[in-house]
Amino acid sequence: MDESEVVSIEQYLQQDWPDYIKRPNETSTYSDLGYVLSGYLVQKISGFSFSDFIEKHIIEPLGILNTTFDLPSQSMRSRLAMGYTHDGEYQALPSWFIGTPSPNPATSAISTADDMMRWMLIHLMNGTYDKDTLLNPWTMQWMHQKHYSMAQNMPGYTYGLYEYRRNNITALMTEGDIDGFSSLMFLIPEKKFGIF
């Protein structure tokens, strides 16, 4: 995959718009579309591309320089994990598979475990990393607050994460899968604990 195959967020929205959209608070379902629309708004409001905005305001200040929403550089590609598929036997996915053909805020992040540890610490330390406040504590609390649930006593959705409850502990998590790769980020903010 190369730069000529990259589709802009605008093009992605025009070609992948769903045939139907549910009204707010009518039903709960995961949708890449919500993240893509958020990325589009970031572009429109900031005047930067989504990936440039994230790089300038999150990746660089946090020092997570092995993370990107763009196609990975050649030097980064040489360090990426190999993805596999299984159809009777394990088969390595071709190297062109790495990286999505659009800067999709929902699916195109490529990162390392060390970079994800830093991202989790921002969540667990209320917006602070290495004594620097990168996000306002109020912003972090707002991000972690439940904003939607099918019923008040059920786990719900925060901004970008969803709740998981067990043994009177509420965790926040997100997961993602593409062919050959799977990830899970699991946080218990009240215990300052996280797993990636």
Side-chain angles (χ1 to χ4, degrees):
M1 183 171 302
D2 63 36
E3 294 290 330
S4 67
E5 299 174 79
V6 174
V7 176
S8 71
I9 289 179
E10 292 88 347
Q11 291 168 316
Y12 179 90
L13 286 171
Q14 290 170 358
Q15 66 189 14
D16 288 335
W17 197 261
D19 293 333
Y20 66 93
I21 297 176
K22 300 285 185 186
R23 285 181 284 183
N25 296 322
E26 185 176 283
T27 189
S28 173
T29 183
Y30 177 84
S31 170
D32 284 354
L33 180 60
Y35 291 98
V36 176
L37 285 171
S38 296
Y40 178 73
L41 289 173
V42 165
Q43 289 185 165
K44 286 300 189 187
I45 293 167
S46 72
F48 291 98
S49 71
F50 172 77
S51 55
D52 286 348
F53 182 88
I54 295 299
E55 185 170 329
K56 180 178 180 180
H57 294 281
I58 295 177
I59 290 173
E60 288 176 2
L62 193 53
I64 54 174
L65 304 178
N66 292 303
T67 298
T68 186
F69 278 86
D70 282 325
L71 290 175
S73 65
Q74 284 300 82
S75 65
M76 184 182 277
R77 282 183 189 226
S78 68
R79 296 178 284 121
L80 292 174
M82 177 66 68
Y84 291 87
T85 186
H86 190 272
D87 187 17
E89 62 183 63
Y90 287 100
Q91 300 170 22
L93 290 169
S95 61
W96 56 260
F97 187 80
I98 306 293
T100 59
S102 71
N104 181 335
T107 61
S108 65
I110 295 173
S111 192
T112 63
D114 186 58
D115 280 5
M116 288 302 298
M117 180 247 345
R118 291 174 186 230
W119 179 241
M120 291 189 313
L121 284 172
I122 283 287
H123 281 275
L124 297 172
M125 304 307 288
N126 215 17
T128 300
Y129 178 76
D130 201 23
K131 299 182 183 174
D132 291 324
T133 299
L134 299 174
L135 291 170
N136 184 306
W138 178 87
T139 301
M140 297 307 299
Q141 292 165 10
W142 190 55
M143 286 175 62
H144 292 170
Q145 176 184 333
K146 178 170 57 173
H147 294 281
Y148 178 78
S149 177
M150 295 296 286
Q152 185 149 354
N153 62 343
M154 291 180 64
Y157 295 91
T158 72
Y159 287 132
L161 303 168
Y162 56 93
E163 292 181 320
Y164 175 87
R165 291 191 199 148
R166 180 74 50 111
N167 299 327
N168 295 318
I169 294 176
T170 298
L172 301 173
M173 59 187 291
T174 188
E175 56 192 331
D177 297 291
I178 59 171
D179 289 344
F181 297 91
S182 185
S183 66
L184 170 73
M185 183 177 80
F186 190 87
L187 304 169
I188 305 175
E190 68 184 71
K191 303 285 185 186
K192 306 242 185 285
F193 175 82
I195 298 173
F196 175 71

